[in-house]
């Protein structure tokens, strides 16, 4: 293949701006609670992202709290919050970021004729005034301000240049070019970035933000980099609005694998953490990964045909352009079984970067033993799943599942009996359902007394094979509160019951939190 010379002479780092917790979470059906957001944020910091867009603080009190918790806790990445141009939005965003080591405010407004006319109902001049106002206010709060003209790829060039120049004059230090509706084609998008770079004077970094409606998000982002962009906005597993955003793992590995096409450019991502990050995001969002997903899919390094197997056995590079280990997809990661002790268990976890101590370790080890008795060997992926479920529920301390008995079959009515306990008190319920899982969930409803609607149910296997652990993620909605829960077991009905109960506990916790907020507000309102 002939290498096409890059249009851009600049060298240096490509900054990875992760928006999994903001744009990624906007994907239909994803509702992460603040604890889950924090867990993903911790892993993103371990992965080495430069910027972490934690959310859109003005969207809801829960979102504000999640951004605040991330800003307070996460070390390493710059923490970013999204804001519209309204002054109150910008101030609220700044308030959420107040405790961050380093903070960025990301201000956006639509600039395409279609968005201005149908959504904003504003003229071009009004939009320009908004840009000056919003970016200017953000620059009063922080030195690091990003500006995005939403729907940039359908915005007339002259107007976009005017808007971007106004943003720079008002204090923007990063100009993002969002392909909001995934309309871009690589060479066209690359030209757009080059054009901005040439025509907009000032000291700023150009960023790409590409959606995947035509399956071109990664290609467009890379075209942007070749044309001079030095920040790329991405989501883990490519999640996001509609068809999603450019996938972090794809952009990072394309840059790492083809230095001939991106001379002198590198990211600071610890690529060995990619697979684990991908699995975590997939589990907590309930978005399963397609098997053939580039870089992090379970088949990304699997070879089926005899010719390929022969080649790879003789020399890996015959059919592999990346090493599995380089993206954390280490093969032959074995394996704990029922004879393994607590020490080996905690060491294996530490190797995976999971540090659990004290009561949480006891609980995870007890669950590991219980599962190891039913399954011959447990892989790294199994271990992670067990610990996440067990530690998650230990921290949440709500109802615990004591007993589950189900009966069903082709002729019997599916029936379940459940015993749960909380604070030493046990309660029991029996229910019938459409199937055994339905009966188990209804019995839990009876035993816990929480009436909720099951809005999403996802079942997958943690690893392959007949003895794989079943991994269930459910989402419940109760009186306007949404919560998800996970359960892992060799038995899929038990996994579903555990997931349902974990979600019930989260709804109850969220209710308690909401009650506390209302009480505090009342106190604050009292003179
Ligand atoms: O897709 C988009 O335009 C966005 C902006 C808020 C950057 O997500
Ligand atoms: Zn977007």
């Amino acid at each position: 293949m002939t290498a096409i010379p890059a249009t851009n002479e600049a060298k240096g780092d490509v900054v990875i701006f992760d928006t999994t917790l903001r744009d990624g979470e906007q994907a239909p059906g994803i509702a992460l609670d603040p604890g889950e957001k924090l867990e993903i944020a911790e892993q993103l910091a371990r992965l080495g992202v430069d910027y972490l867009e934690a959310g859109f603080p003005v969207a809801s009190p829960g979102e504000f709290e999640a951004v605040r918790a991330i800003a307070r806790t996460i070390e390493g990445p710059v923490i970013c919050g999204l804001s519209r141009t309204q002054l109150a939005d910008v101030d609220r965003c700044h308030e959420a970021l107040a405790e961050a080591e380093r903070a960025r405010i990301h201000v956006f407004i639509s600039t395409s004729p279609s968005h201005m006319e149908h959504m904003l109902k504003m003229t071009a001049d009004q939009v320009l005034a908004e840009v000056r106002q919003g970016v200017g206010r953000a620059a009063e709060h922080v030195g690091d301000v990003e500006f995005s003209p939403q729907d940039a790829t359908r915005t007339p060039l002259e107007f976009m240049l005017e808007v971007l120049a106004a943003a720079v004059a008002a204090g923007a230090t990063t100009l993002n070019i969002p392909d909001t509706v995934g309309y871009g084609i690589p060479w066209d998008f690359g030209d757009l970035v080059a054009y901005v770079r040439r025509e907009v004077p000032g000291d700023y970094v150009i960023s790409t933000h590409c959606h995947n409606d035509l399956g071109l998000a990664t290609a467009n982002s890379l075209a942007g980099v070749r044309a001079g962009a030095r920040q790329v906005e991405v989501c883990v597993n490519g999640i996001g609005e509609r068809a999603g955003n450019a996938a972090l793992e794809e952009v990072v590995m394309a840059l790492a694998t083809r230095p001939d096409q991106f001379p002198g450019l590198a990211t600071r991502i610890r690529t060995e953490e990619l697979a684990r990050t991908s699995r975590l995001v997939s589990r907590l969002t309930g978005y399963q990964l397609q098997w053939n997903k580039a870089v992090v899919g379970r088949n990304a390094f699997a070879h089926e045909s005899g010719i390929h197997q022969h080649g790879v056995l003789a020399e890996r590079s015959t059919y592999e352009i990346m090493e599995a280990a380089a993206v954390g997809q280490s093969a032959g990661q074995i394996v704990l079984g029922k004879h393994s002790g607590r020490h080996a268990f905690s060491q294996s976890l530490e190797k995976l970067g999971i540090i659990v101590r004290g009561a949480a370790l006891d609980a995870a080890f007890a669950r590991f033993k219980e599962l190891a008795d039913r399954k011959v060997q447990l892989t790294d992926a199994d271990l992670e799943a067990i610990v996440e479920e067990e530690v998650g529920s230990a921290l949440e301390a709500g109802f615990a599942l004591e007993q589950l008995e189900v009966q069903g079959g082709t002729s019997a009515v599916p029936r379940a009996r459940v015993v749960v306990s909380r604070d030493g008190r046990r309660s029991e319920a029996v229910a019938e359902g459409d199937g055994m899982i339905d009966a188990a969930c209804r019995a839990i409803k009876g035993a816990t007394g929480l009436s909720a609607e099951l809005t999403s149910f996802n079942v997958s296997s943690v690893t392959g094979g007949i003895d794989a652990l079943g991994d269930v993620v459910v989402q419940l909605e109760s009186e306007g509160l949404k919560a998800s829960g996970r359960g892992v077991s060799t038995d899929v009905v038990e996994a579903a019951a555990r997931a349902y109960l974990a979600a019930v506990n989260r709804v109850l916790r969220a209710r308690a939190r909401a009650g506390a907020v209302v009480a505090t507000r009342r106190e604050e309102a009292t003179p």
Side-chain angles (χ1 to χ4, degrees), residues 336 340-351 365 383:
L336 292 172
S340 310
R342 197 184 141 93
H343 186 62
F345 175 71
S346 85
Q347 277 205 332
S348 299
L349 291 180
E350 278 180 29
K351 263 203 275 160
F365 184 61
L383 281 190

Side-chain angles (χ1 to χ4, degrees), residues 235-481:
C235 290
V236 174
N237 298 340
I239 60 173
E241 285 277 6
R242 307 179 311 279
N245 288 66
L248 181 150
E249 61 279 3
E250 293 173 14
V251 171
V252 166
M253 290 316 290
L255 291 172
T257 308
R258 295 301 303 271
D260 57 320
Q261 290 297 311
F262 304 97
L265 294 179
T267 72
R268 279 178 286 266
I269 293 295
R270 286 176 210 107
T271 58
E272 329 76 69
E273 292 288 332
L274 284 172
R276 193 146 79 90
T277 314
S278 157
R279 288 199 296 268
L280 178 70
V281 169
S282 167
R283 286 210 196 98
L284 294 183
T285 57
Y287 264 47
Q288 284 175 7
L289 216 54
Q290 76 208 54
W291 286 20
N292 60 338
K293 169 77 186 63
V295 182
V296 288
R298 63 193 279 179
N299 284 357
F301 296 91
H303 304 273
E304 169 71 29
S305 91
I307 293 176
H308 286 218
Q309 287 176 346
H310 177 84
V312 167
L313 287 173
E315 165 54 42
R316 185 194 57 79
S317 63
T318 50
Y319 284 100
E320 284 183 5
I321 57 167
M322 300 167 262
E323 276 189 57
V327 300
Q329 287 259 57
S330 53
Q333 23 152 320
I334 300 286
V335 170
L336 292 172
K338 65 178 178 179
H339 302 297
S340 310
R342 197 184 141 93
H343 186 62
F345 175 71
S346 85
Q347 277 205 332
S348 299
L349 291 180
E350 278 180 29
K351 263 203 275 160
L352 289 171
I354 304 173
I355 314 288
V356 234
R357 305 247 184 272
L361 179 60
D362 293 343
F365 184 61
R367 182 103 175 91
F368 154 72
K369 277 290 190 183
E370 189 195 313
L371 286 166
D373 263 345
R374 299 193 229 161
K375 188 177 190 293
V376 184
Q377 290 176 325
L378 290 145
T379 64
D380 289 355
D382 291 333
L383 281 190
E384 270 184 60
I386 293 167
V387 173
E388 265 164 36
E389 188 218 278
E390 198 52 44
V391 174
S393 23
L395 293 177
E396 277 150 22
F399 285 103
L401 183 66
E402 298 288 342
Q403 281 176 35
L404 168 70
E405 283 152 28
V406 282
Q407 63 188 60
T410 48
S411 47
V413 176
R415 186 168 285 131
R417 178 180 157 269
V418 157
V419 181
V420 297
S421 67
R422 183 160 74 158
D423 301 332
R425 278 198 304 277
R426 287 158 68 93
S427 62
E428 176 179 339
V430 176
E432 291 179 354
D434 290 341
M436 288 187 283
I437 291 181
D438 186 41
C441 295
R442 284 171 191 272
I444 291 174
K445 221 182 230 185
T448 59
L450 182 93
S451 134
E453 192 195 340
L454 183 66
T455 50
S456 145
F457 181 91
N458 234 304
V459 59
S460 60
S461 65
V462 177
T463 49
I466 191 131
D467 61 351
L469 292 186
D471 184 353
V472 176
V473 179
V474 303
Q475 198 180 88
L476 298 186
E477 195 164 343
S478 171
E479 294 171 13
L481 283 173

